[in-house]
Amino acid sequence: MSQQAANGVPCRGKVLTLDNMNPNVRRVEYAVRGAIVQRAGQIEKELKEGVKKPFTEVIKANIGDAHAMGQKPISFLRQVLALCSYPELLEDNKFPEDAKQRARRILEACGGHSIGAYSASQGIECVRQDVARYIEKRDGGIPSNPDNIYLSTGASDAIVTMLKLLVCGEGRGRTGVMISIPQYPLYSAALADLGAVQISYYLDEDKCWSLDVAELKRAIDAARQHCNPRVLCIINPGNPTGQVQSRQCIEDVIQFAKEEHLFLMADEVYQDNVYAEGCKFHSFKKVLFEMGPAYSSTVEMASFHSTSKCYMGECGFRGGYMEVINMDPEVKAQLTKLVSVRLCPPVPGQALLDLVVNPPQPDEPSYNTFMKERTAVLAALAEKARLTEQIFNEVPGITCNPVQGAMYTFPRIALPQKAIDKAKEEGQVPDMFYCMRLLEEEGICLVPGSGFGQREGTFHFRMTILPPTEKLKIVLQKISDFHGRFTQEFS
Amino acid sequence: MSQQAANGVPCRGKVLTLDNMNPNVRRVEYAVRGAIVQRAGQIEKELKEGVKKPFTEVIKANIGDAHAMGQKPISFLRQVLALCSYPELLEDNKFPEDAKQRARRILEACGGHSIGAYSASQGIECVRQDVARYIEKRDGGIPSNPDNIYLSTGASDAIVTMLKLLVCGEGRGRTGVMISIPQYPLYSAALADLGAVQISYYLDEDKCWSLDVAELKRAIDAARQHCNPRVLCIINPGNPTGQVQSRQCIEDVIQFAKEEHLFLMADEVYQDNVYAEGCKFHSFKKVLFEMGPAYSSTVEMASFHSTSKCYMGECGFRGGYMEVINMDPEVKAQLTKLVSVRLCPPVPGQALLDLVVNPPQPDEPSYNTFMKERTAVLAALAEKARLTEQIFNEVPGITCNPVQGAMYTFPRIALPQKAIDKAKEEGQVPDMFYCMRLLEEEGICLVPGSGFGQREGTFHFRMTILPPTEKLKIVLQKISDFHGRFTQEFS
């Protein structure tokens, strides 16, 4: 826009402003790293500068970042990564033989035997083979084809790529994508960015965040009025809600997808994080194949996995993969072309993924240490899941479903009407007002439920259960105390 | 689409087909990893399976992938990466003290002191500080603010993100982006994906691929008829063309950008790859600031750098950064939000970048080895640049500009009319036909000029100069021989 400057010479504003930037990007929201996390960062700086606060550290329970919460890396994974980084160490007898053997095999598969070379855009072939074997083993022998495996820069990258392929049309013909509410906000952010239509289906909080096909049906029928529903996204185990879906539910969802002619996207990054007794992870792919050829040869699907979660929690390496099933070969060629533009996923992340899908075996020297470390992490998580549910449910005004899996709790909080009014007065959504107060008073950073979506009139927050047990107990106690104070203040 | 199956039951086709997928993705082309590279991969497999060929290995000169071509990693970089991956090695006295000190500093800046934690979405703060100091030193003291530095997953990621921010409008109001022809096809691919309008300006092959502002003016005036030109992209040193822009040219471009109210994107990933005598890298930022406050306080710009090129060639780590200048603070907040959706760039790549911008100093134990390794790589590249130009220009029908910088040559090839006709008969563009023949006969994989764009009726190929000198000589000889044979065959 042209403006007239004081001296009469026309002066132009910025080329790029809020008003003329990509409007889809403006619509993107991502609460997990939103305003509250920025404020947490400021408070950390203030603490460093000596500003007095009612606490001495900020505890960032807003994100599933295991190592940041003090979880130690799994030795075997890091030994192999060090060997791959600096192969001179292969001569060092400090490293176990199986770690060396893995490193040699990975380096052998790299251009110039270096993890500094680009890989194939779809990922290193031998890693994709190992992933396929891992999936076959997980699913009791149902075949997996390495050509259907695409390695990625964390699961987020693959999810966005898949959504991008699927989006087309204009107006009422625009692609609609079904996502759960509450959801992980990568989905809503990607849909905003792509200009796709979000179709919300609600999980049933009263039934432990379970998914009801009748609700899917309600949502899709309503959506058909204004868009073209083509995709159904499921997160299992659930983020932020921590439920683990039953086999029956998965079967119902697959049948629904078939009937409604939907592409299924199964976000299964928490597949190894299942804690509750009686709960078990069932992969969408396994259930699909068990339903027989009418399903296994027709329903199109992509399933996502990551190195960031499970027992290893290696978020920083940005490793992940997706498996596509029943994808049209011509579309697959387009997908391969699309990922080639970004050249390749980070090779250290690919190497890490290879170790995750091909860990030490019982006859190998690293097996015992590896299993001890892995089991300790998963046992601690199970204990923390139990503890979180128990302590929160003792607090009047907090209701918390069991954390059956994943690494979050999403408790419901009763907010007094006066607090709701006060928040509105300050132009904040009520649960953001609550979480900001908690952050300022106790130094605990959570994400308001509004960042994930929730039924109108209900309020929640997401908290990771990752802090070490003793610290988690303190966090839970502080939140409980705060909730009492807050309720009293506004009653 | 519904179809009637043989048994009378309606059967539906795929949910996702070539016809109903994202049409922008269909339009994407990326020659550097296109059909010819896929064929090269097949031939490699055939060789492994024992199929007889007139050669014993495929030489992939299609991509700037130094390690794949046998270049050894720089020891210091990999020592620090190994230390960061497996910090137990910090106790090992095999590693030099400065490597340990760098590793400790990086780990200190990571969540939970682990490169397995997520970093801030913009990148680790101390790495951004080091980048800013590096830029200041490079530009003779012109200040750089770490808040303006965004770390990225290779330069490609940052370039696509920046373009995405800039694209808006519909029809004649759609954002137009000026890119050079020949160009690096990431740009055309990203513009297709974003549905932006590509505005081509031609480099002058007769003047060593130089850029003429009159040509920029011609291109933008023509484009204003059908779109809204808002962005000017420059690659310096040039890819695929290897030219290094003069200071005067950069000044002219900046003035043009100011006059035409364009956002400047300066792709400077080859800034350390300058070989020709009399040539020097001038950063757009330095020139901008030397032009005085009328420019340095108004012209909006982003400059991109990468860990994949230069002397280290660490493509697999996907490290990079961009510096934004004069960006509207509200837009910057949107940029920060946008990058947060993907959580963070790979942390090993961030660590690597930190070492690149903060290498061993003269008083540190690793300095001599580091300098020896670095100098050897750059000296060999300079020698190979010279050799390539010399040998190609001896071949009748090949004309080759000096490789002043970067790591490619883009020679012009004269193709006989009969070859052009034959190619058309086979439905191929003529330089693809030429390169495919070369691949089948000599096992050398190049990228046809048509993948980068070229003036109508001219033909080129891009070849990296990265193979080791002795191998490069063989490659050059084989191409020369092939060119002679090919010309004779079709004369």
Side-chain angles (χ1 to χ4, degrees), chain A residues 110-111 114-119 124 153 317-318 342-351, chain B residues 33 64-68 78 81 153-154 306-309 312-319 346 348-349 352:
Chain A
C110 291
S114 166
I115 57 169
Y118 291 120
S119 75
I124 298 172
T153 308
F317 281 81
R318 315 304 300 120
R342 297 290 189 96
L343 297 166
C344 70
V347 176
Q350 297 187 44
Chain B
R33 293 212 152 179
D65 190 355
H67 292 201
R78 294 307 195 87
L81 287 167
T153 308
S306 161
T307 57
S308 303
K309 311 298 169 185
M312 55 284 178
E314 294 277 12
C315 311
F317 281 82
R318 315 305 300 122
L352 179 66

Side-chain angles (χ1 to χ4, degrees), chain B residues 183-479:
Chain B
Q183 53 116 14
Y184 176 56
L186 167 70
Y187 290 91
S188 50
L191 297 182
D193 185 352
L194 293 165
V197 180
Q198 173 177 327
I199 306 172
S200 303
Y201 64 88
Y202 288 86
L203 302 176
D204 189 345
E205 181 163 17
D206 295 336
K207 292 185 181 155
C208 198
W209 297 116
S210 68
L211 193 169
D212 182 3
V213 168
E215 167 61 10
L216 290 179
K217 186 70 182 146
R218 179 207 62 76
I220 201 170
D221 285 347
R224 286 203 197 280
Q225 311 298 316
H226 62 272
C227 71
N228 177 20
R230 298 179 69 201
V231 192
L232 171 54
C233 299
I234 306 274
I235 312 175
N236 178 51
N239 176 5
T241 39
Q243 82 284 16
V244 177
Q245 285 184 321
S246 69
R247 198 193 168 289
Q248 183 59 51
C249 173
I250 292 170
E251 198 171 316
D252 294 346
V253 168
I254 291 171
Q255 187 164 351
F256 175 83
K258 184 173 165 64
E259 281 167 11
E260 302 288 345
H261 208 229
L262 300 173
F263 192 104
L264 254 176
M265 288 179 54
D267 180 339
E268 299 178 317
V269 301
Y270 296 101
Q271 56 188 263
D272 289 332
N273 294 101
V274 176
Y275 317 115
E277 234 170 287
C279 283
K280 191 174 172 283
F281 171 74
H282 302 275
S283 80
F284 267 80
K285 184 183 176 196
K286 181 160 192 260
V287 176
L288 177 71
F289 276 73
E290 287 169 353
M291 288 168 78
Y295 294 86
S296 66
S297 64
T298 61
V299 176
E300 293 151 73
M301 197 181 101
S303 161
F304 306 89
H305 200 10
S306 161
T307 57
S308 303
K309 311 298 169 185
C310 301
Y311 61 90
M312 55 284 178
E314 294 277 12
C315 311
F317 281 82
R318 315 305 300 122
Y321 74 79
M322 72 171 159
E323 182 184 25
V324 297
I325 293 154
N326 290 321
M327 184 178 268
D328 183 297
E330 287 180 320
V331 175
K332 244 184 82 183
Q334 294 285 325
L335 171 59
T336 305
K337 176 190 74 177
L338 181 60
V339 297
S340 78
V341 178
R342 297 290 190 97
L343 297 166
C344 70
V347 176
Q350 297 187 44
L352 179 66
L353 177 64
D354 192 56
L355 307 171
V356 168
V357 298
N358 182 21
Q361 297 304 304
D363 60 347
E364 292 184 318
S366 301
Y367 181 74
N368 288 339
T369 307
F370 173 79
M371 285 308 287
K372 213 177 94 187
E373 292 176 355
R374 180 186 197 277
T375 309
V377 172
L378 291 176
L381 281 170
E383 164 68 6
K384 291 187 276 193
R386 199 192 51 73
L387 205 64
T388 301
E389 178 196 353
Q390 183 199 317
I391 295 181
F392 273 151
N393 279 326
E394 285 165 5
V395 183
I398 298 186
T399 333
C400 178
N401 270 317
V403 183
Q404 298 174 329
M407 35 182 73
Y408 314 98
T409 176
F410 195 70
R412 182 165 170 178
I413 45 175
L415 298 186
Q417 189 56 45
K418 279 188 193 162
I420 296 171
D421 296 342
K422 176 79 176 163
K424 279 181 188 155
E425 224 180 281
E426 300 196 0
Q428 271 185 335
V429 290
D431 50 12
M432 176 62 98
F433 176 73
Y434 177 95
C435 288
M436 275 291 188
R437 285 285 294 262
L438 174 68
L439 175 63
E440 298 289 347
E441 292 181 20
E442 301 285 0
I444 296 168
C445 180
L446 306 178
V447 191
S450 46
F452 305 88
Q454 53 200 353
R455 280 205 183 268
E456 183 73 29
T458 69
F459 304 106
H460 302 77
F461 58 76
R462 186 184 85 160
M463 184 188 93
T464 168
I465 60 167
L466 285 170
T469 310
E470 288 316 303
K471 196 175 225 172
L472 181 68
K473 283 182 187 165
I474 297 168
V475 169
L476 292 168
Q477 196 52 56
K478 283 186 165 191
I479 296 175

Side-chain angles (χ1 to χ4, degrees), chain A residues 185-361:
Chain A
L186 167 69
Y187 290 91
S188 50
L191 297 182
D193 186 352
L194 293 164
V197 179
Q198 173 178 327
I199 305 172
S200 304
Y201 64 87
Y202 288 85
L203 302 176
D204 189 345
E205 182 164 16
D206 295 335
K207 292 186 182 154
C208 198
W209 297 115
S210 68
L211 194 169
D212 182 4
V213 169
E215 166 62 10
L216 291 178
K217 185 71 182 145
R218 179 207 61 75
I220 201 169
D221 286 345
R224 286 202 198 279
Q225 311 298 317
H226 63 273
C227 72
N228 177 18
R230 299 179 68 201
V231 193
L232 170 55
C233 300
I234 306 275
I235 312 175
N236 178 52
N239 176 5
T241 37
Q243 82 283 19
V244 176
Q245 285 184 322
S246 70
R247 199 193 167 290
Q248 183 59 51
C249 173
I250 293 171
E251 198 170 316
D252 294 346
V253 168
I254 291 171
Q255 186 164 351
F256 176 81
K258 184 173 166 63
E259 281 167 11
E260 303 287 346
H261 209 230
L262 300 173
F263 192 103
L264 253 178
M265 290 178 55
D267 181 340
E268 299 179 318
V269 301
Y270 296 101
Q271 56 189 263
D272 288 333
N273 295 101
V274 175
Y275 317 116
E277 234 169 289
C279 283
K280 191 173 172 285
F281 171 73
H282 302 273
S283 80
F284 267 79
K285 185 183 175 196
K286 181 160 192 258
V287 176
L288 177 71
F289 276 72
E290 288 169 353
M291 289 168 75
Y295 293 85
S296 66
S297 64
T298 61
V299 177
E300 294 151 74
M301 198 182 100
S303 160
F304 306 90
H305 199 11
S306 160
T307 58
S308 303
K309 310 298 169 184
C310 301
Y311 62 92
M312 56 283 178
E314 294 277 12
C315 311
F317 281 81
R318 315 304 300 120
Y321 75 79
M322 71 172 159
E323 182 184 25
V324 297
I325 293 154
N326 291 321
M327 184 178 266
D328 182 298
E330 288 181 318
V331 174
K332 244 185 82 182
Q334 294 285 325
L335 170 60
T336 305
K337 177 190 74 179
L338 181 61
V339 297
S340 78
V341 178
R342 297 290 189 96
L343 297 166
C344 70
V347 176
Q350 297 187 44
L352 179 66
L353 178 63
D354 191 56
L355 307 171
V356 168
V357 298
N358 181 21
Q361 298 304 305

Side-chain angles (χ1 to χ4, degrees), chain A residues 358-431:
Chain A
N358 181 21
Q361 298 304 305
D363 59 346
E364 293 184 319
S366 300
Y367 181 75
N368 287 339
T369 306
F370 173 79
M371 285 308 288
K372 212 178 95 186
E373 292 176 355
R374 180 187 197 277
T375 309
V377 171
L378 291 176
L381 280 169
E383 163 68 8
K384 290 188 277 193
R386 199 192 50 74
L387 206 64
T388 302
E389 179 197 353
Q390 182 199 319
I391 295 182
F392 273 152
N393 279 326
E394 284 165 5
V395 183
I398 298 186
T399 334
C400 179
N401 269 318
V403 183
Q404 297 174 331
M407 34 182 73
Y408 314 99
T409 176
F410 196 70
R412 183 164 172 179
I413 44 175
L415 298 186
Q417 189 57 43
K418 278 189 193 163
I420 296 170
D421 296 342
K422 175 79 175 162
K424 281 182 186 155
E425 221 181 283
E426 300 194 1
Q428 270 185 337
V429 289
D431 50 12

Side-chain angles (χ1 to χ4, degrees), chain A residues 421-448:
Chain A
D421 296 342
K422 175 79 175 162
K424 281 182 186 155
E425 221 181 283
E426 300 194 1
Q428 270 185 337
V429 289
D431 50 12
M432 175 63 96
F433 175 74
Y434 176 94
C435 288
M436 276 289 189
R437 285 284 295 264
L438 174 68
L439 174 63
E440 298 289 347
E441 291 181 22
E442 300 285 0
I444 296 168
C445 181
L446 306 178
V447 191

